[in-house]
Amino acid sequence: MVTDKTTRPLRADAQRNYDRIVATARDAFAECGNEVPLDDIAKRACVGAGTLYRHFPTRETLYEAVYRGEITTLCERAPKLLAELPPTEALAAWVGELVQWVANKRSLAMTLKASIDSGSETFRLCQTMMREAAGTVLSAAQATGVIRLDIGPADLMRLGHGIGVSVEHADPEDADRLVSIMLDGLRA
């Protein structure tokens, strides 16, 4: 449920509307760019403009919600991959997903960074979640003895972000090749 320290949980129907608006906005931003009119998002989500603005009084609050949702989804992949794959394969898979996310969602992240303070609660929360997810897959891979111990979660994120930015307009094979090169460099 979407809540903060000062509000109570949303009613079930309000939560469904919130979730539908965020999902619709995510898709609309991907299809049409970050400047898609909010009224178009409300129509696509089958809610009134008042419902959209009640949940998201500004475009920036909607950007934040979409960004948080995207980061949450990416971070939730780390323990799932570790449950499905050996640690070094889970690390490679998660870094590959990070790179693809950066390459595909950088526009949303840049828009958000331009519109809110980098010290905001959203940025702190997302940064913490990303470091924890990176640390989860990294420490498991390091425990196997295959990955260097002098690499930390922040290093892993910087490397993944760097590759993601560099392949934003490249072939998907380029991203895979660069991730492979990076992972070879992380070997003990």
Side-chain angles (χ1 to χ4, degrees), residues 78-79 81-82 87 90-91 94-95 132-142 156:
L81 289 167
L82 279 171
L91 173 66
W94 190 82
V95 169
E132 288 173 359
T136 297
V137 292
L138 180 61
S139 63
Q142 287 171 323
L156 187 65

Side-chain angles (χ1 to χ4, degrees), residues 67-91:
Y67 184 77
R68 271 193 316 270
E70 293 284 324
I71 293 296
T72 298
T73 299
L74 179 60
C75 291
E76 288 172 348
R77 292 287 297 147
K80 289 177 183 175
L81 289 167
L82 279 171
E84 300 167 3
L85 301 169
T88 54
E89 290 178 31
L91 173 66

Side-chain angles (χ1 to χ4, degrees), residues 88 92 145-151 180 182-188:
T88 54
V146 175
I147 301 298
R148 299 164 46 158
L149 297 176
D150 63 339
I151 302 298
S180 177
M182 180 197 88
L183 292 169
D184 285 345
L186 296 181
R187 296 199 183 280

Side-chain angles (χ1 to χ4, degrees), residues 33-124:
N34 296 338
E35 294 305 316
V36 63
L38 295 183
D39 288 342
D40 289 356
I41 292 172
K43 286 177 191 170
R44 286 183 182 200
C46 300
V47 300
T51 298
L52 184 139
Y53 287 106
R54 191 169 28 262
H55 288 292
F56 306 102
T58 66
R59 177 178 291 278
E60 289 74 23
T61 57
L62 184 55
Y63 288 153
E64 286 185 51
V66 171
Y67 184 77
R68 271 193 316 270
E70 293 284 324
I71 293 296
T72 298
T73 299
L74 179 60
C75 291
E76 288 172 348
R77 292 287 297 147
K80 289 177 183 175
L81 289 167
L82 279 171
E84 300 167 3
L85 301 169
T88 54
E89 290 178 31
L91 173 66
W94 190 82
V95 169
E97 290 183 22
L98 169 64
V99 166
Q100 288 306 313
W101 187 88
V102 170
N104 295 327
K105 305 293 182 175
R106 195 165 86 90
S107 173
L108 175 63
M110 296 306 290
T111 298
L112 181 62
K113 286 180 182 179
S115 65
I116 67 171
D117 180 17
S118 63
S120 75
E121 182 180 335
T122 295
F123 274 118
R124 285 193 311 271

Side-chain angles (χ1 to χ4, degrees), residues 1 9-20 55:
M1 293 244 162
L10 295 174
R11 292 183 334 263
D13 62 328
Q15 185 66 50
R16 282 190 300 273
N17 285 340
Y18 179 96
D19 294 341
R20 191 169 48 247
H55 288 292

